[in-house]
Amino acid sequence: MLSMLLISLEQGLVFAVLALGVFITYKILDFPDLSVEGSFPAGAFTFAKVVTSGGGLIAGLLASLLVGALTGLLTSTIFSRLRIRPLLSGILTLTLMYSLNLRINGKSNVPLFSTPTLFRENIVGNILLLLVIVLALKFLLDRFFRTQIGYMLLATGDNETLVSGLGEKVNRYKTIGLMLSNALVALSGAIMAQNMRFADINMGSSIIVVALASIIIGDTFLRKSKKIKGTTRAILGALIYKLIGGAALYLGLAPTDLKGINALIVIVFIAYNQFSPSAWWTRFRKNILAVPERGKMHVADSSS
Amino acid sequence: MLQIRHLKKTYNAGTDNELKLFENLSIDFEAETTALLGPNGCGKTTLLELIAGRKEQDEGAMCLQGKDITADGERARAAYIARVHQDPSDGVAPSLSVLENLALADHKGKPFTLRKLVRKERIDFYREKLAELGLGLENKLSSLVQDLSGGQRQSLSLVMATMKEPRILLLDEHTAALDPATSQTVLEKTRELTARHRILSIMVTHEPRSALRYADRIVVLSRGSVAMDVRAETISERELLETYLHA
Ligand SMILES: Nc1ncnc2c1ncn2[C@@H]1O[C@H](COP(=O)(O)OP(=O)(O)OP(=O)(O)O)[C@@H](O)[C@H]1O
Ligand SMILES: [Mg+2]
């Protein structure tokens, strides 16, 4: 039980980096970016390439950030220059990245056993280290969204007319957002590869669902509170999401059921977000129990 | 000051829905307030979009103070043009606070960098600007714009548009969403601002009375050309209404 908790926490923190990245495109820019399915393994493979050819840990992480940013740039270029819709731009990028990812190391699975890694034997130590990384990233992102460029990113997602009215290029900010987002996603992929001790071509598949699940769960968490920042929500969402998945495994579900559970988690949380308990209770009382609404006369309602 | 020559604009050219909006429109605007009237769909908004560079004309030229600006895009023109749109949501970022919106407008024309956007020392100045409108917006600096009413949003848009004293101000029915009292305040404010800074202002309106009261010149647009072009003081409300109704 405890080890299930710790492992979920550890992986949740890795996915928190992913969720922070997708938060930028999905929540801020309102740009449904599927290219993360390509940049996540790209981060892993780039990291694997650097460390297996003798590069250090930091070099590997920086390289994965860079490759992620370039992936975002590719999507942004396809989107803005060729005027292709966001979804298709992302799909084109992820398809292209599939082949490119296989080229990076020349194979679809790279074991990482005796290469440099963030992870030690002590899982509590690992969790603390990841926590520091995630909090530092969150702090930097929050700072970034207080800068002039950061606010323009927020404004771009909000109202493009305003941005061009200010004499600024909308696509410039979309590009910045996509690059930043995919850089974080690739970083998350690089950390994931170290955690699993291999980079694999399939590690990106349906990762977008994981990211969206985290963000949606984060939004659900104390949803009335306006004080919690979006970045905090994304992190909390990733942690809760992983705990739910961990619990499912603990309760005896097969690892192959995980993807199905992922999708179910998203569906359940979206349904919950659309569901308002008090309105439901009122309807339930009125329609099912036929209790007249308090303070109102009970009139047979022919319309419902 | 702003000269528009032989403007031609066709929507959906070559299709069944082809609409020849302007075929050869020439008109000059001076550094004063011109009220632009005309029936729905006569092309008022389109004319403003063409001036702002948001849409491109098929043919024609534009000069500002003798300088040819025909080739300038929207971003280049944004340096001297500000707009308040017909839709109150078009001029603001709804998920940001009033203060953050003002700070964005305050930064117009300067490069956006990794420095902090909101500067505390400007807050008093923003408060003053908002207070002039008398809507109590100065006490709502930290409210999100999405929680403001349409009229409050539109007033904020006006403050944002005029913050950097543009040379040209394009107002597209900017008081249509406001109640009569607020509308009057905003129109008076607009008038005062444009007069004080000698801004070339083009104000689209459907109300002959506000046109006469707040503009120096009245232009009625109809079927792609100028149906009437007079000084505001030389015409009565009745005459204007007549022309407008038969435009
Ligand atoms: N993007 C567009 N594509 C095709 N037709 C358009 C487009 N924008 C406007 N039109 C058409 O051009 C005509 C002029 O529209 P415009 O919005 O300029 O009118 P307006 O004078 O501002 O009207 P209103 O008083 O209703 O605001 C209308 O018939 C409209 O349908
Ligand atoms: Mg219009």
Side-chain angles (χ1 to χ4, degrees), chain B residues 28-119:
Chain B
D28 287 4
F29 293 100
E30 297 305 324
E32 60 184 2
T33 299
T34 304
L36 192 60
L37 291 89
N40 291 129
C42 73
K44 303 177 297 295
T45 300
T46 305
L47 181 59
L48 297 194
E49 305 250 273
L50 290 170
I51 294 174
R54 182 142 185 96
K55 291 205 170 112
E56 251 180 274
Q57 65 265 36
D58 307 325
E59 281 168 32
M62 276 184 216
C63 276
L64 178 63
Q65 291 177 320
K67 189 176 156 274
D68 189 352
I69 58 163
T70 317
D72 288 359
E74 183 184 17
R75 287 192 301 127
R77 292 189 201 181
Y80 46 85
I81 296 183
R83 308 173 64 187
V84 181
H85 300 264
Q86 198 163 354
D87 181 343
S89 301
D90 275 352
V92 290
S95 78
L96 299 182
S97 71
V98 171
L99 174 63
E100 291 162 335
N101 270 275
L102 289 165
L104 276 174
D106 199 9
H107 201 73
K108 181 179 173 182
K110 286 182 253 171
F112 284 77
T113 67
L114 285 174
R115 294 231 176 80
K116 257 183 94 164
L117 176 75
V118 180
R119 285 157 54 210

Side-chain angles (χ1 to χ4, degrees), chain A residues 39 42-43 46 62-72 97 101 104 182-183 186:
Chain A
S39 50
T46 308
L62 289 178
S64 66
L65 275 172
L66 180 69
V67 168
L70 290 175
T71 312
M97 288 309 288
N101 284 337
I104 297 179
N182 281 285

